[in-house]
């Protein structure tokens, strides 16, 4: 809502579009797509497209390898097709799969080996390398071993490529928050010269230059107004929905919009010294400092690597000591190959892929895979007020008439405001149109004029109609009629803007204009508290406005009159108490806080920078969707644990059997049986992950059904 000292001026708005440009000396981050290349972790140097392409190529080659495998033919009871060279199909294609599809794992395994941080890549590398060497030894007839693992090698590489492709797709595109910040600046500025103005790139602006900022244009650099007065839309910086009146001698910030009048601004800061660049640095710092817990599958893979390596060494030693060197080789190779179960490679990626798909269908877009894991541990959800818990738009929430009917009051005010495109004017016109009686009183105004910081004036049905706040009343020497003081006092007490309607010098009524609370916000707050999650709110609004909204919604803690940089520190303050924080916001000023929180959640109606800084984006405006995220997080985490327990449990049982610990009693796990059990383990993990599709994520039902 908009009231300065009571009232925002209502002149026509102009187009606010600008041409974005990289910030001077900024840290440009480009938006990326499926070809994104990761720069750290097990996927360093790998792109989503690379894993996808290698998967499809390896899958095409795997089919004939499996068909022409003697081990598979024996298991399924069919005769191998025979023709000249048929015996070389599996070895040749298997080698291609190893060299092409296995390269990402071999490189990743080598990196893990060099950094002494064994994980999934090294475990996969060990398995496919041992299978490759053992299979060639068998194919060439060296030593008389029966270790034909070509089909197992092909399936292992193909399934692992599928798992990593699915995982990287679930990660989403990397954040381009800094680009979104940069695009708030215009590409050019009008520099004032002795001969008029000249258009220059903003990179050429210098301190003490004077620039012309026209109505509807963005301020190109931080500075002070030296001529003129206007209302500025600072919502992209402060998050506050009310335009702010600025006059001579007052500071304005780069990226904000002059909504009504043209002003001249003396430049005081450019490039990296602007407030917008400061927010840009905060986003970068917050992103860099955000904790990145290691994926569960990586931790399990590290343990399984040492388990497999230790089991393999002990197997080789034991069978050699027992005088069976041939069995030592067969048992050791079998242990090392089946120690990398397909199930482990799919346990996490499958859950993430299905979870993100289910979430997307319910308006929750997951960009950061770790957001799923962290959301289940959230202690407090910190909501930005404007545009998140509230509509972020002005609306008439109260009408009080004196000497006229409510319908007549609204019709007169709407007629006077009809020629203005100001948000407050649109709210009054909309209220009159929705009123059953006022909507039928079609009045037209003439002689429309607006005055910054005071209000509007027009002639309606021959009478002079003025609409304005306390400043206008003082200038006219008028007072609020006693019949209205109780209502207007209560409106002011809760932070609403009070606009008086004056006819021929007499106050005939008043309307309250404010940013209305979303109907869904109450249910969201209550349901979060039912789940044991505290709810806090942060806003740049005055304390009385913030407290009124907080009390209405039953919020546990309210942070009011918070500057952009302090939103970030409020997250840190909550974290310093030992709380895990999820931040929900929609403005540029929320971006550092979104990046700093354990989970950043951007509401879909927000700006691009807020959405790019968040790990989760709510496609709609319903804050109850946070409940969907919490319940999905808890359910997916359970599935991850179940899948990991199954995958690891398979190893705990299968590896000792493959090593021959029960050989003295006649129980030995052959390579063929071990491979079959490995495939069954993968099927079980896949089916278990599919159960997530039954999860109900409808926000309306979740908010009505209590804790999950």
């Amino acid at each position: 809502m908009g009231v300065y000292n009571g009232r925002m001026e209502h002149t026509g708005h102009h187009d606010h579009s600008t041409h974005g440009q990289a910030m001077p000396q900024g840290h440009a981050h480009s938006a990326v797509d499926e070809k994104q290349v990761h720069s750290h972790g097990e996927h360093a140097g790998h792109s989503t497209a690379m894993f996808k392409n290698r998967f499809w190529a390896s899958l095409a080659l795997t089919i004939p390898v499996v068909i022409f495998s003697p081990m598979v033919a024996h298991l399924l009871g069919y005769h191998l097709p025979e023709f000249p060279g048929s015996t070389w199909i599996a070895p040749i294609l298997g080698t291609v799969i190893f060299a092409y599809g296995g390269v990402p794992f071999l490189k990743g395994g080598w990196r893990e080996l060099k950094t002494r941080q064994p994980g999934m890549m090294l475990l996969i590398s060990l398995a496919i390398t041992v299978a490759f060497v053992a299979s060639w030894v068998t194919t060439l007839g060296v030593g008389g071993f029966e270790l034909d693992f070509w089909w197992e090698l092909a399936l292992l590489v193909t399934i692992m490529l599928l798992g990593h492709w699915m995982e990287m797709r679930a990660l989403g595109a990397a954040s381009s928050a800094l680009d979104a910040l940069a695009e708030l600046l215009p590409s050019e500025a009008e520099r004032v010269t002795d001969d008029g103005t000249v258009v220059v790139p903003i990179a050429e602006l210098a301190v003490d230059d004077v620039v012309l900022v026209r109505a509807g244009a963005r301020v190109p650099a931080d500075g002070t107004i030296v001529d003129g007065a206007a209302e500025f839309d600072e919502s992209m910086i402060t998050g506050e929905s009310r335009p702010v009146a600025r006059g001579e001698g007052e500071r304005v910030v780069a990226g904000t919009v002059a909504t009504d009048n043209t002003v001249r601004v003396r430049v005081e800061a450019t490039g990296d010294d602007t407030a917008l660049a400061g927010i840009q640095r905060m986003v970068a710092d917050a992103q860099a400092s955000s904790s990145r817990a290691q994926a569960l599958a990586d931790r399990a893979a590290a343990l399984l690597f040492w388990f497999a390596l230790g089991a393999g060494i002990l197997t080789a030693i034991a069978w050699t000591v027992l005088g069976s060197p041939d069995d030592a080789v067969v048992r050791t190779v079998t242990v090392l190959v089946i120690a990398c179960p397909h199930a482990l490679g799919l346990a996490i990626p499958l859950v993430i892929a299905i979870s993100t798909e289910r979430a997307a269908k319910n308006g929750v877009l997951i960009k950061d895979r770790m957001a799923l894991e962290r959301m289940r541990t959230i202690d407090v959800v910190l909501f930005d007020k404007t545009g998140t818990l509230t509509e972020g738009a002005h609306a008439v929430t109260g009408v009080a008439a004196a000497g006229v009917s409510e319908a007549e009051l609204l019709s007169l005010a709407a007629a006077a405001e009809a020629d203005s495109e100001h948000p407050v004017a649109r709210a009054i016109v909309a209220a009159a149109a929705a009123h059953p009686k006022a909507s039928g009183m079609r009045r037209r105004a003439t002689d429309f004029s607006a005055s910054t910081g005071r209000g509007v004036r027009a002639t309606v049905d021959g009478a002079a109609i003025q609409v304005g706040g306390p400043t206008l009343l003082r200038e006219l020497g008028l007072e609020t009629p006693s019949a209205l003081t109780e209502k207007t006092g209560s409106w002011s007490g809760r932070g609403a803007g009070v606009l008086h309607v004056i006819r021929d010098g007499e106050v005939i009524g008043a309307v309250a204009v404010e940013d209305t609370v979303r109907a869904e916000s109450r249910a969201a707050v209550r349901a979060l508290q039912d789940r044991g999650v505290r709810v806090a709110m942060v806003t740049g609004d005055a304390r009385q406005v913030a407290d009124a909204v907080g009390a209405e919604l039953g919020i546990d803690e309210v942070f009011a009159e918070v500057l952009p940089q302090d939103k970030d520190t409020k997250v840190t303050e909550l974290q310093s108490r030992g709380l895990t924080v999820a931040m929900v916001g929609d403005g540029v000023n929320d971006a550092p806080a979104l990046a700093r929180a354990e989970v950043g959640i951007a509401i879909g109606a927000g700006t691009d920078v807020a959405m790019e800084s968040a790990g989760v984006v709510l496609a709609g405006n319903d804050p109850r969707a946070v409940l969907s995220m919490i319940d999905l997080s808890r359910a997916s985490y359970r599935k991850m644990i179940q899948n990991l327990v199954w995958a690891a449990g398979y190893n705990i049982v299968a590896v000792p059997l493959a090593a021959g610990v029960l050989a003295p009693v006649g129980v030995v796990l052959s390579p063929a049986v071990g491979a079959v059990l490995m495939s069954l383990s993968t099927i079980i993990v896949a089916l278990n992950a599919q159960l997530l599709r039954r999860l109900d994520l409808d926000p309306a039902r979740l908010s009505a059904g209590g804790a999950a």
Side-chain angles (χ1 to χ4, degrees):
M1 115 195 122
V3 183
Y4 26 73
N5 213 2
R7 165 70 172 156
M8 298 192 323
E9 181 270 333
H10 303 355
T11 59
H13 274 233
H14 296 263
D15 177 42
H16 293 177
S17 62
T18 59
H19 300 286
Q21 165 184 311
M23 295 185 70
Q25 304 175 33
H27 307 284
H29 283 203
S30 297
V32 292
D33 56 17
E34 197 179 44
K35 296 183 179 180
Q36 171 194 355
V37 176
H38 285 241
S39 59
H40 61 278
E42 69 178 27
H43 296 147
H46 300 153
S47 70
T48 307
M50 181 274 291
F51 277 114
K52 180 184 71 172
N53 295 337
R54 289 178 190 258
F55 162 72
W56 287 115
S58 297
L59 178 62
L61 297 176
T62 294
I63 294 173
V65 170
V66 172
I67 293 174
F68 284 90
S69 170
M71 187 179 293
V72 174
H74 175 72
L75 288 173
L76 300 181
Y78 67 87
H79 294 288
L80 286 174
E82 294 184 8
F83 52 85
S86 62
T87 57
W88 289 99
I89 290 179
I92 292 175
L93 296 183
T95 299
V96 174
I97 292 171
F98 175 78
Y100 178 69
V103 164
F105 307 112
L106 296 173
K107 289 182 177 179
W110 177 245
R111 277 192 298 270
E112 291 180 355
L113 190 62
K114 287 195 300 183
T115 58
R116 299 179 182 179
Q117 294 180 331
M120 176 67 79
M121 289 297 195
L122 189 54
L123 187 56
I124 298 172
S125 300
L126 177 64
I128 64 176
T129 301
V130 170
F132 176 74
V133 174
S135 297
W136 265 117
V137 168
T138 299
T139 299
L140 298 175
V142 178
F145 298 112
E146 293 296 330
L147 294 169
D148 183 358
F149 283 111
W150 288 120
W151 74 283
E152 182 56 33
L153 166 65
L155 282 176
L156 181 57
V157 170
T158 301
I159 290 179
M160 290 302 170
L161 285 170
L162 173 62
H164 283 74
W165 173 30
M166 293 174 66
E167 183 181 14
M168 291 186 71
R169 285 188 65 187
L171 297 182
S175 171
S176 58
L178 304 184
D179 268 348
L181 278 170
E183 289 173 0
L184 288 177
L185 287 179
S187 58
E188 298 174 328
E190 289 189 67
R191 185 164 57 195
V192 177
T193 65
D194 293 338
D195 299 323
T197 63
V198 58
V199 177
V200 298
I202 62 170
E204 294 183 10
L205 291 179
V207 175
D208 289 334
D209 280 349
V210 175
V211 294
L212 186 70
V213 181
R214 298 184 184 276
R218 292 188 184 274
V219 178
D222 291 0
T224 300
I225 297 176
V226 294
D227 182 30
E231 284 192 341
F232 286 82
D233 179 359
E234 300 180 350
S235 59
M236 68 291 297
I237 300 297
T238 66
E240 171 54 53
S241 58
R242 309 179 186 183
V244 179
R246 303 291 186 195
E248 290 186 19
E250 294 188 275
R251 285 183 55 81
V252 291
V253 178
T256 57
V257 180
T259 64
D260 49 9
N261 295 323
T262 298
V263 296
R264 284 177 168 76
V265 176
R266 185 179 302 281
V267 175
E268 295 180 347
T270 61
D272 284 348
D273 297 327
T274 63
L276 190 59
I279 293 179
Q280 185 188 39
R281 285 191 294 273
M282 282 194 293
V283 171
D285 292 344
Q287 288 175 334
S289 66
S290 294
S291 60
R292 295 292 182 230
Q294 188 176 10
L296 289 173
D298 293 338
R299 297 199 291 269
L303 295 174
L304 286 176
F305 170 79
W306 293 113
F307 173 71
L309 186 62
I313 294 173
L314 289 176
T315 300
I317 294 174
W319 284 99
T320 301
V321 170
L322 291 173
S324 300
D326 289 348
D327 285 336
V329 174
V330 173
R331 297 289 107 214
T332 300
V333 170
T334 303
V335 165
L336 293 177
V337 171
I338 71 172
C340 180
H342 304 62
L344 183 62
L346 291 178
I348 300 301
L350 265 178
V351 172
I352 293 176
I354 293 173
S355 297
T356 52
E357 176 192 342
R358 291 283 294 112
K361 289 182 178 179
N362 287 273
V364 179
L365 309 179
I366 299 172
K367 299 177 57 190
D368 180 359
R369 64 174 178 175
M370 296 310 298
L372 267 177
E373 183 179 343
R374 295 192 191 104
M375 198 64 188
R376 68 183 177 84
T377 66
I378 291 301
D379 300 309
V380 57
V381 176
L382 177 63
F383 285 98
D384 173 57
K385 180 186 79 70
T386 305
T388 305
L389 291 175
T390 65
E391 296 287 352
H394 306 85
V396 173
T397 57
V399 179
V404 297
S405 68
E406 182 178 296
E408 185 175 3
L409 178 72
L410 278 176
S411 67
L412 290 171
E417 298 279 16
D419 288 341
S420 173
E421 293 183 6
H422 196 283
V424 168
R426 290 196 295 269
I428 293 176
V429 172
H435 194 278
K437 294 183 178 180
S439 58
M441 300 179 181
R442 301 186 180 278
R443 290 186 162 99
R444 289 189 174 276
T446 57
D447 303 325
F448 171 83
S449 64
S451 177
T452 300
R454 293 166 179 80
V456 300
R457 177 189 178 93
T459 300
V460 182
D461 293 344
I465 303 297
Q466 293 172 276
V467 184
T471 300
L472 179 62
L473 291 187
R474 285 195 298 271
E475 289 189 355
L476 297 176
L478 300 175
E479 294 184 358
T480 304
S482 57
L484 303 178
T485 54
E486 183 176 350
K487 279 193 175 181
T488 57
S490 66
W491 293 342
S492 299
R494 69 171 187 248
V498 180
L499 308 178
H500 295 86
V501 182
I502 304 167
R503 181 173 62 184
D504 292 332
E506 179 186 0
V507 178
I508 59 172
V511 296
V513 181
E514 55 190 322
D515 187 7
T516 56
V517 172
R518 295 186 189 278
E520 305 86 358
S521 296
R522 297 176 182 84
V525 172
R526 183 178 62 254
L528 283 170
Q529 292 167 338
D530 288 344
R531 284 165 171 75
V533 179
R534 287 175 54 82
V535 180
M537 184 183 76
V538 63
T539 178
D541 281 353
R543 169 59 64 179
Q544 62 178 8
V545 178
D547 285 344
V549 173
E552 181 178 352
L553 294 177
I555 288 174
D556 299 303
E557 186 169 3
V558 174
F559 299 104
E561 301 176 357
V562 179
L563 297 175
Q565 60 270 27
D566 291 332
K567 287 194 176 183
D568 179 39
T569 61
K570 293 306 178 186
V571 173
T572 305
E573 178 183 328
L574 290 170
Q575 290 170 332
S576 68
R577 303 179 197 169
L579 300 174
T580 305
V581 182
M583 169 69 189
V584 186
D586 73 331
V588 170
N589 61 300
D590 302 324
L594 289 169
R596 181 77 64 186
E598 278 78 6
V599 179
I601 304 174
I603 198 111
T607 61
D608 288 342
V609 67
M611 296 170 68
E612 294 298 342
S613 299
V616 180
V617 176
L618 305 183
N621 300 324
D622 191 346
R624 296 176 301 180
V626 175
L627 303 169
S628 302
M629 184 62 185
I630 292 177
D631 286 5
L632 178 64
S633 173
R634 294 174 178 176
S636 62
Y637 184 75
R638 286 194 298 269
K639 290 302 176 187
M640 288 181 188
I641 295 298
Q642 292 166 5
N643 281 355
L644 288 176
V645 168
W646 179 264
Y650 161 84
N651 265 29
I652 293 172
V653 174
V655 168
L657 290 177
V661 295
L662 296 181
V665 296
V667 178
V668 178
L669 185 65
S670 68
V673 174
V676 171
L677 291 178
M678 187 185 301
S679 298
L680 289 176
S681 177
T682 304
I683 293 172
I684 292 172
V685 164
L687 292 177
N688 187 46
Q690 293 296 327
L691 295 178
L692 278 172
R693 298 187 184 280
R694 302 189 306 178
L695 187 65
D696 185 359
L697 296 178
D698 181 63
R701 283 195 288 270
L702 292 179
S703 62

